[in-house]
């Protein structure tokens, strides 16, 4: 038997030693004649030959041409296109594998050397190697030399090989490859594998290839060896079975009496048993060689795919031949690999173990393994790879099924909570475990007999009680829908037993039964409603899955049947349930969700109108008894569903609803009159009467058109009285505001759906205007809930009645458009600043004694986020002026965790609306922060303080949002610098001109945006800066003047003296891929492109040129140093014309868009006034420029751009989100990268060189 001679591997050090010896012995010459040797045992080199064995012939001693092949062995390896090779035949897959193997066996019988050469080249070519083993190599070279030769001929430039190539053809090839090896061994199992030649050669080759450093060789040979081992295990299993049968026949014959015993048969059986034992020994030696020479080394290979192959196949061996392999010596490899760092390998381990635990007869052999690795398997249920977690849960379920005692309560609890996982496959697998643990241990027959004795119709009562108990103990009550969805696949019959659930809720407990408590009843109702939803909608709850999938015909039929079943049952049961629990708001709110899943045609088709009347009666009782918003909204929603015009029951329900509203309205009008008459003297009863009826009417007004009852007039009177007297209760004011809002919306629906008259529009406008005035007055209310409600309604109504109301051909609605005036905009902004941007401590104090627990904090944060989002929408849709956003933007960094996403989205949308105005808003927000800092610390700011650093960091973040496309943001960035410069020099220092302006430090903040200027624009901005500077300022170097020095340097460094170095974002992004393939375009062509782009946005003429951008000879460098002497000549005069007035700049779009052009025109005018001096110096300047360019060409200046680019890379997400999508250049090979010089001013090149995105991985 194999178990007697298979290695029992005790520790890894022993394995390593054995493996090394095997590897050395197996890497021998393929053409080793083996003269003087008998049967060779793998792993036992040098064994003397057996006496009864004939010497084996040399592999090349009988060469002869096989059928259809040339004698030199060339036809098998001529190339990929030769259809005679095994590789091509298997790759095409057109022939049955049985016939392919039979052909090869026939060839082997004729000339085994040439056939083996074909098989060797098959493995080589399957690895993707273009080389081939020839007959001379086969004769004269050792295995290691052949593999080294094949490695040299391997195509290293290609990372793919057949086993890893994508596509259906190569997927089929892998299947054919594995099938070929299995069929080959199966067909050779009776003779050829015992000839001491074929298997020796193949195993020796695969062992050598599996130790190669070339991944393709190692991967392909390992897969082949593992499949070869699997086929040998199958042969060994058959031999073992035959041995057992032969032994039984021998024992039976020998036990016969002497007269009936056949001696010849006994001799034959003994000879057969001996032959089988010899074959078994030979197979064991082959398997030992593969296991110790390949598996022991490759199961811990660096490549995850190779490790996965080893684990997958050892699982097959253990299942196929458990007597030999299913022991701790082999199970330990699977146990160790459970800790593999790759999910693919862990997944193979779990699936291999599942195949073993599925067979309950194998549990005794797995007991020690289970005890040793159970904790690891249970912990893998929380694996970061969802596929691994699912299989781990299924494995734990199999362990539980095999042995209840194998898992502790703690182990089970670790799996229980996964039924609430958001990932549905994990939750469903955990649901199967829960079903197996809780619901599969009962005896169905005993349960049914007990139910009959107790007078119950369903035997599932105890199981439902158990489910309710589990739900309560899990303490995740809000996730009932997830629990039901997790159990739906495994416990669907139980979950659809609505009769049993209603029996437990409606009927009194029988003798021996325990009554359900209040918590248990609430939990059971919640679970029951979730099962109804799951059955009616036939898709998982929100948060589980990617969306509604298309149901199959079978699923659709099941859905219809379930919907009919639940409708017929709950049409009768629901009124009784509402009657019993009508005073319990939580239970009633859940029960009232059931009608939305009804098939309402059943009422009329089944003549069940009396049950409809009973339901409407119970709903009316619920409305009268409850004032909770949740219950009232559930009642309103139920009426809305039952009133659908498509059903015949609509008239009956509409009458009931109208009677209810009439009664509520009548009661409300009398209560309001009483409250208005009594005024301040109103008692609590009067207030309660108004509030209770108003809540009910508001809830119904949300889903029903109640405009004919004119509720708006009553609410308006209440609000007016509250404002005038200041004594209106908070809740009444909130409800009155909400009810009025609903009334306006329903009136708008009527107007938009019909053909309104002018009087109708005027009447609605009057109503909206009065309500907006009321809401604006409520913003100053002392009660926070009233102010918040008024603010939200104001924002909503301003959005609804904005200029967008007239879009889509609705110009007739123009009278309804409202534009908020400046006072209202300021009031809304002040409200946001006072109620949104507050510290958490202030919020806790304003919560009027509520506990400072996490839930309250989260609730308050959500409320503040809603307030900010409502106001931000007004800015985005141009309802509130964009400069109002400055007070929002300035809090971006301080409140980034709470509102960063909202502010960032607002910034993005406003930039899409108006880039220039958005830039002015950004600089305005920084100016506001700076002014606040001046007020707090005085004019002498500490530039190293955290407050100043905070403003600079905010400016840096703002700069990042401009992105890399500088052409698109050119005017916006220039405008931003203009406003910043004017702000810095806005006020003179009271101490005199020798002292810096009070706002001069703001230039240090402004310098964060200098990197976003195009190089030719930096000079223009610098010229504008010099208008505000005196000659005295240029000479100062004290610390207080450092902001000015730093800002000037940021403009002068990398200035526009060399226009050739400018690469716009759009041009760079469009041509980066071309440059990466074809190299850098000629400089004169690049200048032409820049000129054409430059001319598209600035008012130009033939005489207007960027200073210093003269014609230069073609140079090899793209970055040039500015010549100091040349730069000095181009400093403009301080006397310049006055810039455009600020009102013109703010209100004239043409002036906004052409400011840079205007600055260039001013510069040209200055040059015209000094034309004589300019012309005298021009020729000398040209000579100096050319000489300077040629001298300085070797030292390109790119420090400032590199610094700005590194800053951009620090927050790539922010930069890319609001502008363009960068196309990174494709990978270049080493030769191309050596020939191309990087353009340091091209941001894509910086990204490639610094981050390594463009580097090859091979």
């Amino acid at each position: 038997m194999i178990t007697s001679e298979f290695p029992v591997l005790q520790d890894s050090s022993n394995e390593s030693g054995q493996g090394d010896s095997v590897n050395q012995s197996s890497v021998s010459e393929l053409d080793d004649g083996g003269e003087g040797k008998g049967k060779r045992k793998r792993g036992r080199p040098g064994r003397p030959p057996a006496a009864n064995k004939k010497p084996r012939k040399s592999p090349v001693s009988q060469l002869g041409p096989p059928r259809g092949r040339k004698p030199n062995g060339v036809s098998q390896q001529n190339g990929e296109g030769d259809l005679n090779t095994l590789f091509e035949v298997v790759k095409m897959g057109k022939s049955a594998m049985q016939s392919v193997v039979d052909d090869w066996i026939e060839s082997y019988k004729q000339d085994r050397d040439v056939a083996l050469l074909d098989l060797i080249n098959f493995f080589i070519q399957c690895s993707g190697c273009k080389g081939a083993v020839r007959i001379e190599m086969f004769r004269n070279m050792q295995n290691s030399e052949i593999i080294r030769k094949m490695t040299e001929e391997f195509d290293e430039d290609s990372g793919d090989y057949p086993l890893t190539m994508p596509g259906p053809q190569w997927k089929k090839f892998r299947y054919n490859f594995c099938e070929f090896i299995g069929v080959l061994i199966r067909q050779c199992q009776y003779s050829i594998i015992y000839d001491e030649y074929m298997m020796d050669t193949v195993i020796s080759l695969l062992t050598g290839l599996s130790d190669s450093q070339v991944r393709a060789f190692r991967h392909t040979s390992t897969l082949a060896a593992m499949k070869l081992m699997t086929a040998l295990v199958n042969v060994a299993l058959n031999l073992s079975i035959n041995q057992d049968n032969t032994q039984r026949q021998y024992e039976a014959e020998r036990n016969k009496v002497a007269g009936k015993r056949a001696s010849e048969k006994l001799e034959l059986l003994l000879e057969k048993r001996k032959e089988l034992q010899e074959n078994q020994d030979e197979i064991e030696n082959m398997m030992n060689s593969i296991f110790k020479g390949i598996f022991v080394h490759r199961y811990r290979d660096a490549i995850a795919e190779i490790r996965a192959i080893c684990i997958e196949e050892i699982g097959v061996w253990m299942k196929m031949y458990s007597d030999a392999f299913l022991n701790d010596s082999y199970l330990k490899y699977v146990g160790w690999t459970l800790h593999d760092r790759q999910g693919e390998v862990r997944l193979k381990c779990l699936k291999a173990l599942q195949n073993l635990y599925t067979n309950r007869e194998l549990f005794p052999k797995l007991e020690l393994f289970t005890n040793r690795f159970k904790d690891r398997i249970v912990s893998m249920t929380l694996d970061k790879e969802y596929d691994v977690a699912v299989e781990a849960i299924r494995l734990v379920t199999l362990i539980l099924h095999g042995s209840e005692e194998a898992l502790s309560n703690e182990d089970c609890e670790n799996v229980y909570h996964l039924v609430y996982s958001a990932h549905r496959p994990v939750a469903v697998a955990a649901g199967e475990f829960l079903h197996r643990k809780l619901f599969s241990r009962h005896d169905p027959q005993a349960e049914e007999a007990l139910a009959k004795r107790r007078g119950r119709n369903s035997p599932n009562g105890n199981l439902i009680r158990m489910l309710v108990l589990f739900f309560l103990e899990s303490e995740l009550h809000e996730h009932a829908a997830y629990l039901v969805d997790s159990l739906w696949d495994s416990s669907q019959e139980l979950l659809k037993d609505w009769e049993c659930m209603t029996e437990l809720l409606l009927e009194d407990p029988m003798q021996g039964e325990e009554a359900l408590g209040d918590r248990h009843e609430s939990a059971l109702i919640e679970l029951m409603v979730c099962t109804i939803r799951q059955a009616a909608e036939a898709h998982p709850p929100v948060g589980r899955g990617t969306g509604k999938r298309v149901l199959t015909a079978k699923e659709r039929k099941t859905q219809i049947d379930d919907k009919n079943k639940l409708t017929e049952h709950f049409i009768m049961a629901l009124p009784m349930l509402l009657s019993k629990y009508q005073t319990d708001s939580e239970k009633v709110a859940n029960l009232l969700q059931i009608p939305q899943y009804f098939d309402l045609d059943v009422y009329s088709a089944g003549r069940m109108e009396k049950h409809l009347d009973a339901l409407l009666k119970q709903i009316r009782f619920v409305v009268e008894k409850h004032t909770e918003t949740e219950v009232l909204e559930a009642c309103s929603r139920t009426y809305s569903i039952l009133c659908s015009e498509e059903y015949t029951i609509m008239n009956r329900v509409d009458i009931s609803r109208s009677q209810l509203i009439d009664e509520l309205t009548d009661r409300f009008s009398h209560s309001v009159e009483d409250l208005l008459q009594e005024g301040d003297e109103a008692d609590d009863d009067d207030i309660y009467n108004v509030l209770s009826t108003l809540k009910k009417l508001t809830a119904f007004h949300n889903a029903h058109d109640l405009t004919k009852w004119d509720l708006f007039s009553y609410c308006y009177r209440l609000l007016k009285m509250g404002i005038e007297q200041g004594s209106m209760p908070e809740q009444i004011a909130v409800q009155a505001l909400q009810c009025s809002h609903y009334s306006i919306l329903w009136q708008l629906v009527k107007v938009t759906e019909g053909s309104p008259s002018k009087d109708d529009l005027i009447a609605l406008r009057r109503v909206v205007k009065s309500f907006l005035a009321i809401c604006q007055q409520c913003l100053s209310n002392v009660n926070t809930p009233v102010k918040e409600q008024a603010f939200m309604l104001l924002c909503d109504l301003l959005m609804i009645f904005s200029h967008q109301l007239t879009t889509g051909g609705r110009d007739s609605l123009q009278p309804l458009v409202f534009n908020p005036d400046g006072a209202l905009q300021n009031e809304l902004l002040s409200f946001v600043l006072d109620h949104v941007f507050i510290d958490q401590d202030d919020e806790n104090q304003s919560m009027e004694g509520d506990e400072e627990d996490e839930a309250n904090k989260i609730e308050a944060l959500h409320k503040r986020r809603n307030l900010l989002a409502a106001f931000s929408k007004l800015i985005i849709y141009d309802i509130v002026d964009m400069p109002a956003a400055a007070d929002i933007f300035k809090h971006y960094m301080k409140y980034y965790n709470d509102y960063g996403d909202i502010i960032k989205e607002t910034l993005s949308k406003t930039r899409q609306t108006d880039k220039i105005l958005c830039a002015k808003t950004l600089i305005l927000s920084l100016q506001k922060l700076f002014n606040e800092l001046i007020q707090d610390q005085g004019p002498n700011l500490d530039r190293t303080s955290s407050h100043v650093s905070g403003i600079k960091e905010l400016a840096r973040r703002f700069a990042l949002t401009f992105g890399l496309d500088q052409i698109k943001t050119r005017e916006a960035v220039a405008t931003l610098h203009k406003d910043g410069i004017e702000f810095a020099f806005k006020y003179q220092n009271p101490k005199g001109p020798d002292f810096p302006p009070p706002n001069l430090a703001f230039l240090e903040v402004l310098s964060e945006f200098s990197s976003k200027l195009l190089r030719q624009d930096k000079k223009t901005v610098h010229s504008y800066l010099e208008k505000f500077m005196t000659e005295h300022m240029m000479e100062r170097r004290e610390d207080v003047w450092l902001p000015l020095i730093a800002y000037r340097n940021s403009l002068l460094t990398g200035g526009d003296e060399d226009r050739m170095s400018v690469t716009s974002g759009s041009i760079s992004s469009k041509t980066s891929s071309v440059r990466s393939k074809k190299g850098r375009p000629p400089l004169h062509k690049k200048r032409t492109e820049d000129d054409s782009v430059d001319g598209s946005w600035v008012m130009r003429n033939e005489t207007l040129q960027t200073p210093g951008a003269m014609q230069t000879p073609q140079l090899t460098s793209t970055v040039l140093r500015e010549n100091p002497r040349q730069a000095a000549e181009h400093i403009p005069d301080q006397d310049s014309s006055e810039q455009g007035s600020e009102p013109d700049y703010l209100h004239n779009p043409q002036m906004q868009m052409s400011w840079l052009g205007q600055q260039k025109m001013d510069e040209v005018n200055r040059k015209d006034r000094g034309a004589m001096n300019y012309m005298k110096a021009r020729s000398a300047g040209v000579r100096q420029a050319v000489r300077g360019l040629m001298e300085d060409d070797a030292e390109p200046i790119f420090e400032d751009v590199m610094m700005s680019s590194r800053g951009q890379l620090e927050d790539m997400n922010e930069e890319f989100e609001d502008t363009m999508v960068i196309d990174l250049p494709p990978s270049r090979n080493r030769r191309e990268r050596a020939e191309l010089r990087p353009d340091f001013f091209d941001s894509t090149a910086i990204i490639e060189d610094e981050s390594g995105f463009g580097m090859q991985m091979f």
Side-chain angles (χ1 to χ4, degrees), residues 26 82 142 194 271 336 372 445 542 551 581 680 822 869 1097:
S26 4
D82 194 343
Q142 294 184 351
Y194 305 113
E271 186 177 347
W336 291 341
R372 170 65 180 81
Q445 295 181 351
V542 177
L551 300 180
Y581 299 110
D680 295 337
W1097 64 277

Side-chain angles (χ1 to χ4, degrees), residues 1075-1210:
R1075 279 203 311 272
S1076 66
K1077 296 178 182 178
K1078 299 183 179 179
R1080 187 174 312 287
L1083 290 179
H1084 67 275
K1085 181 177 180 180
K1086 189 166 186 179
R1087 279 200 306 274
T1088 304
E1089 290 176 354
D1090 282 342
D1091 288 346
S1092 64
V1093 174
D1094 189 56
S1096 65
W1097 64 277
V1098 174
M1099 296 171 58
R1100 301 171 60 93
N1101 55 41
E1102 294 180 357
T1103 62
L1104 177 59
Q1105 296 182 358
T1106 303
M1110 59 190 72
Q1111 296 295 325
T1112 57
Q1114 182 171 342
L1115 303 173
T1116 56
S1117 175
T1118 61
V1119 188
L1120 304 176
R1121 174 181 294 174
E1122 182 181 35
N1123 191 309
R1125 290 170 295 177
Q1126 182 182 358
E1129 291 179 359
H1130 290 300
I1131 297 177
D1133 297 334
Q1134 295 301 320
D1135 299 330
S1136 60
S1137 59
E1138 295 293 332
Q1139 69 269 19
S1141 63
E1142 186 67 18
D1144 289 343
Y1145 180 80
L1146 287 175
H1147 300 294
N1148 189 340
Q1150 183 62 33
M1151 289 197 67
Q1152 291 184 26
M1153 294 301 296
S1154 60
W1155 176 74
L1156 283 174
Q1158 184 65 39
Q1159 299 308 307
K1160 292 178 184 292
M1161 292 294 294
D1162 292 346
E1163 191 170 340
V1164 169
N1165 292 334
R1166 289 197 303 273
K1167 289 180 179 178
D1168 288 341
R1169 288 195 299 268
M1172 293 301 296
N1173 294 334
Y1174 178 82
M1175 293 301 297
K1176 288 179 181 179
R1178 192 174 190 279
S1179 58
V1182 171
R1183 289 195 297 271
Q1184 292 175 358
V1186 173
R1187 185 173 63 252
L1189 291 175
M1190 296 178 66
E1191 292 171 354
D1192 298 336
D1193 178 55
E1195 298 184 33
I1197 298 176
F1198 55 86
E1199 286 80 359
D1200 63 320
V1201 179
M1202 292 291 288
M1203 290 172 61
S1204 65
S1205 299
R1206 289 193 184 98
Q1208 293 165 1
L1209 290 170
E1210 289 178 5

Side-chain angles (χ1 to χ4, degrees), residues 86 91 154 187 255 427 430 436 577 699 723 745 802 818 865 872 951 954 1052 1069 1086 1097 1133 1217 1233:
L86 270 177
K91 173 185 170 184
F154 205 93
Q187 293 300 102
N255 291 335
R436 178 76 64 180
L577 291 169
I723 293 172
L745 295 183
S802 66
F818 282 88
R865 285 175 59 85
S872 297
I951 299 177
L954 179 61
L1052 292 174
S1069 64
K1086 189 166 186 179
W1097 64 277
D1133 297 334
E1217 180 170 324
R1233 284 206 302 273

Side-chain angles (χ1 to χ4, degrees), residues 710-742:
D710 193 20
L711 297 177
F712 179 83
S713 60
Y714 294 107
C715 294
Y716 183 78
R717 291 172 63 192
L718 285 173
L719 294 170
K720 197 72 174 173
M721 186 196 77
I723 293 172
E724 293 173 354
Q725 299 181 2
S727 59
M728 182 60 65
E730 164 186 309
Q731 284 299 315
I732 291 181
V734 171
Q735 293 297 324
L737 287 169
Q738 190 67 60
C739 187
S740 302
H741 178 64
Y742 292 147

Side-chain angles (χ1 to χ4, degrees), residues 341-354:
R341 63 181 177 273
Q342 293 295 328
E344 174 190 0
V345 184
R346 299 195 299 273
L347 191 64
K348 293 294 184 184
C349 291
L350 293 171
K351 289 189 173 180
L353 292 173
Q354 286 176 15

Side-chain angles (χ1 to χ4, degrees), residues 75-291:
S75 64
Q76 306 79 282
Q77 57 270 22
N78 281 342
E80 300 181 285
D82 194 343
L83 298 179
N84 289 329
T85 63
L86 270 177
F87 173 73
E88 289 297 330
V89 172
V90 173
K91 173 185 170 184
M92 298 299 293
K94 294 182 178 179
S95 304
M97 207 56 63
Q98 181 84 26
S99 63
V100 174
V101 171
D102 288 344
D103 290 344
W104 184 88
I105 292 175
E106 184 66 25
S107 173
Y108 183 83
K109 288 177 180 179
Q110 293 185 16
D111 192 319
R112 61 183 187 178
D113 296 298
V114 175
L116 265 181
L117 198 59
D118 200 1
L119 186 61
I120 290 171
N121 281 310
F122 169 71
F123 290 122
I124 296 295
Q125 291 174 348
C126 286
S127 302
C129 180
K130 304 301 181 184
V133 180
R134 300 182 180 273
I135 196 69
E136 297 81 7
M137 300 165 61
F138 184 69
R139 289 175 176 173
N140 304 322
M141 298 174 67
Q142 294 184 351
N143 253 1
S144 57
E145 294 174 339
I146 291 175
I147 294 172
R148 188 179 305 113
K149 179 69 174 175
M150 293 299 100
T151 302
E152 292 173 358
E153 297 185 15
F154 205 93
D155 183 12
E156 294 186 7
D157 292 338
S158 173
D160 289 334
Y161 48 95
L163 292 184
T164 61
M165 286 183 181
Q169 178 190 3
W170 295 109
K171 186 177 181 181
K172 183 180 179 182
F173 168 78
R174 181 188 176 105
Y175 173 81
N176 293 339
F177 176 78
C178 299
E179 184 187 7
F180 171 79
I181 295 173
V183 174
L184 178 66
I185 299 301
R186 189 177 73 232
Q187 293 300 102
C188 298
Q189 64 177 317
Y190 299 110
S191 59
I192 296 179
I193 62 173
Y194 305 113
D195 68 355
E196 301 180 342
Y197 184 57
M198 185 196 85
M199 293 302 294
D200 287 9
T201 306
V202 171
I203 293 175
S204 178
L205 173 73
L206 294 179
T207 303
L209 288 175
S210 70
D211 200 35
S212 171
Q213 292 185 351
V214 178
R215 169 178 173 167
F217 280 150
R218 210 164 66 248
H219 187 184
T220 306
S221 61
T222 301
L223 177 61
M226 294 302 101
K227 292 298 179 182
L228 186 68
M229 178 79 166
T230 301
L232 289 175
V233 170
N234 191 41
V235 173
L237 178 61
N238 292 333
L239 288 173
S240 177
I241 294 172
N242 291 334
Q243 273 189 290
D244 293 341
N245 293 338
T246 304
Q247 181 67 28
R248 283 197 300 271
Q249 292 175 7
Y250 177 78
E251 295 292 341
E253 191 66 30
R254 193 180 62 174
N255 291 335
K256 291 180 180 179
V257 294
K260 296 182 178 181
R261 185 183 305 158
S263 58
E264 294 180 359
K265 187 175 181 179
L266 285 175
E267 290 178 3
L268 289 174
L269 289 173
L270 280 174
E271 186 177 347
K272 182 180 180 181
R273 187 178 67 176
K274 182 179 179 181
E275 181 184 357
L276 290 173
Q277 184 61 46
E278 289 178 355
N279 291 342
Q280 184 101 353
D281 293 342
E282 186 70 14
I283 295 296
E284 287 176 4
N285 290 327
M286 296 177 193
M287 293 192 295
N288 271 324
S289 296
I290 295 174
F291 188 84

